[in-house]
């Protein structure tokens, strides 16, 4: 009974030592008698008990690595507190096992030194403007060295850039001054545009008024000319009708009668005024002579 139990324990131990199930996105490095023998891929694998052993286990997923904050000095001798995060992936399990004793620490230290080197080539203002360039240069510097460690650096991102308080205060003042400058420029441009609009409106209004006055003067002159022409035409027609009437039989007598009526009417109006002194000719034949002279002036050649 005891022998059977011992055999069962030995069989279970052999199974545990020989049968390995590797999860997805993992890679296990196997050593045989202390020497690299192979890499187990995801799935079921068999080993030789007590001869083979799983020496290293690696995760093939993308791994984020927080890079500790550090002080970097820019080209213009300004200190910056910089921290970031690095994303990498194990691509060669054998090199990751034997290429470096601790590839995570190696990557972290190399990221810090590369970041200091890149920022040291830039001025303070450029470090805020060219984050993408800094990230790309850090990834390029780390990736070249990480190939020997079986690691692929995917990307690096700067999380924060913090200058000293004095520099930060000076930058804030500079930003405030720049904004005030822009506000003054915008206000002056607004006043300038306002004056231009007012001048343009006054000019257009003056032109419109002058055009209106011009058209009104033209219309008035045309109206007066038309009125004078109409009066002249009416007088001409009246004279023509009077002349035609005189040429008719009895026209002379009618004219004499009309002139006599006008003379009598004129004398009566003068006499009606209280303040007027009327001098009547002693010889009424002079009145007849006056009427005869008027008739001669009114006669037209037949």
């Amino acid at each position: 009974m005891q022998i059977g139990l011992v055999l069962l324990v030995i069989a279970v131990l052999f199974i545990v030592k020989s049968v390995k199930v590797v999860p997805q996105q993992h890679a296990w490095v196997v050593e045989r008698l202390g020497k690299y023998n192979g890499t187990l891929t995801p799935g079921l694998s068999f080993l030789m008990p007590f001869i083979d052993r799983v020496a290293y286990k690696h995760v093939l997923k993308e791994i984020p690595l927080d890079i500790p904050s550090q002080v970097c000095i820019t080209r213009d001798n300004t200190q910056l507190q910089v921290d970031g995060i690095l994303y990498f992936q194990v691509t060669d399990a054998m090199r990751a096992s034997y290429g470096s004793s601790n590839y995570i620490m190696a990557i972290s230290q190399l990221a810090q030194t590369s970041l200091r080197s890149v920022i040291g080539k830039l001025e303070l203002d450029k470090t805020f403007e060219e984050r993408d360039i800094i990230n790309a240069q850090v990834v390029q510097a780390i990736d070249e060295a990480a190939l020997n460690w079986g690691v692929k650096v995917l990307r690096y991102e700067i999380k924060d850039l913090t200058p000293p308080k004095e520099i930060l205060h000076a930058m804030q003042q500079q930003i405030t001054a720049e904004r005030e400058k822009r506000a003054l420029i915008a206000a002056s441009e607004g006043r300038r545009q306002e004056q231009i609009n007012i001048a343009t409106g006054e000019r257009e209004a003056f032109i419109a008024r002058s055009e209106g006055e011009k058209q009104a003067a033209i219309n008035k002159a045309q109206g007066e000319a038309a009125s004078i022409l109409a009066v002249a035409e009416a007088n001409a027609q009246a004279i023509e009708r009077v002349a035609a009437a005189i040429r008719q039989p009895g026209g002379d007598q009618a004219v004499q009668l009309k002139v006599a009526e006008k003379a009598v009417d004129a004398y009566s109006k003068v006499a009606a005024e209280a303040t007027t002194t009327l001098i009547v000719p002693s010889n009424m034949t002079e009145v007849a002579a006056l009427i005869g002279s008027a008739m001669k002036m009114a006669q037209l050649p037949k």
Side-chain angles (χ1 to χ4, degrees), residues 12-47:
V12 171
L13 184 61
F14 265 79
I15 292 174
V16 171
K17 289 290 185 178
S18 60
V19 178
K20 299 294 181 182
V21 179
V22 181
Q24 184 66 32
Q25 286 295 92
H26 286 70
W28 293 359
V29 175
V30 177
E31 291 181 351
R32 177 169 293 176
L33 299 177
K35 183 180 179 180
Y36 172 75
N37 183 58
T39 302
L40 301 181
T41 58
L44 181 64
S45 300
F46 296 94
L47 302 179

Side-chain angles (χ1 to χ4, degrees), residues 71-133:
V71 177
C72 300
I73 300 177
T74 62
R75 185 178 178 181
D76 50 356
N77 296 325
T78 302
Q79 293 183 354
L80 281 178
Q81 192 78 19
V82 186
D83 61 347
I85 185 168
L86 182 72
Y87 297 87
F88 70 94
Q89 186 177 21
V90 176
T91 57
D92 191 333
M94 189 270 288
R95 289 189 177 185
S97 301
Y98 304 104
S100 175
S101 60
N102 190 340
Y103 63 85
I104 295 179
M105 180 180 293
I107 291 174
S108 177
Q109 294 297 321
L110 186 57
Q112 288 182 311
T113 56
S114 300
L115 182 62
R116 286 196 296 267
S117 176
V118 172
I119 291 182
K121 299 177 182 178
L122 300 174
E123 295 181 354
L124 178 62
D125 294 338
K126 294 295 183 180
T127 57
F128 295 98
E129 299 173 2
E130 300 182 358
R131 286 197 178 192
D132 293 338
I133 297 177

Side-chain angles (χ1 to χ4, degrees), residues 78-272:
T78 302
Q79 293 183 354
L80 281 178
Q81 192 78 19
V82 186
D83 61 347
I85 185 168
L86 182 72
Y87 297 87
F88 70 94
Q89 186 177 21
V90 176
T91 57
D92 191 333
M94 189 270 288
R95 289 189 177 185
S97 301
Y98 304 104
S100 175
S101 60
N102 190 340
Y103 63 85
I104 295 179
M105 180 180 293
I107 291 174
S108 177
Q109 294 297 321
L110 186 57
Q112 288 182 311
T113 56
S114 300
L115 182 62
R116 286 196 296 267
S117 176
V118 172
I119 291 182
K121 299 177 182 178
L122 300 174
E123 295 181 354
L124 178 62
D125 294 338
K126 294 295 183 180
T127 57
F128 295 98
E129 299 173 2
E130 300 182 358
R131 286 197 178 192
D132 293 338
I133 297 177
I134 295 174
N135 296 337
Q137 291 181 357
V138 171
V139 169
Q140 183 180 1
I142 301 174
D143 199 33
E144 293 176 357
L147 291 175
N148 296 325
W149 306 332
V151 176
K152 173 66 176 176
V153 178
L154 301 176
R155 60 188 179 276
Y156 177 82
E157 296 291 340
I158 295 177
K159 292 194 296 184
D160 193 16
L161 286 171
T162 306
K165 293 182 178 179
E166 297 79 7
I167 300 298
L168 191 61
H169 181 66
M171 292 174 63
Q172 186 64 37
Q173 289 181 336
Q174 182 180 2
I175 293 173
T176 303
E178 185 66 25
R179 289 178 178 174
E180 291 177 352
K181 175 184 175 182
R182 292 179 182 177
L184 291 175
I185 293 174
S188 63
E189 288 292 334
R191 290 192 297 269
R192 173 176 172 271
Q193 189 62 42
E194 180 184 6
Q195 293 175 358
I196 291 174
N197 293 339
I198 292 174
T200 302
E202 291 178 351
R203 184 186 66 179
E204 293 178 354
F206 178 77
I207 293 174
R209 286 195 299 270
S210 63
E211 289 292 334
E213 293 173 356
K214 174 184 175 182
Q215 189 62 41
I218 292 173
N219 294 340
K220 182 179 179 181
Q222 290 178 350
E224 292 178 353
S227 176
I228 293 171
L229 182 60
V231 172
E233 290 179 353
N235 291 334
Q237 291 179 2
I239 293 171
E240 289 179 357
R241 291 183 180 180
V242 170
I246 292 173
R247 293 190 184 97
Q248 297 296 326
D252 294 340
Q253 292 80 6
V255 172
Q256 292 176 5
L257 178 60
K258 192 67 175 177
V259 172
E261 289 177 354
K262 290 291 184 181
V264 173
D265 184 61
Y267 276 110
S268 63
K269 286 183 178 180
V270 174

Side-chain angles (χ1 to χ4, degrees), residues 53-74:
R53 74 181 185 94
V54 177
Y56 301 96
K57 295 181 179 181
H58 298 285
V59 178
L60 303 183
K61 300 176 183 180
E62 183 176 339
I63 300 174
L65 177 61
D66 190 24
I67 306 300
S69 177
Q70 62 176 334
V71 177
C72 300
I73 300 177
T74 62

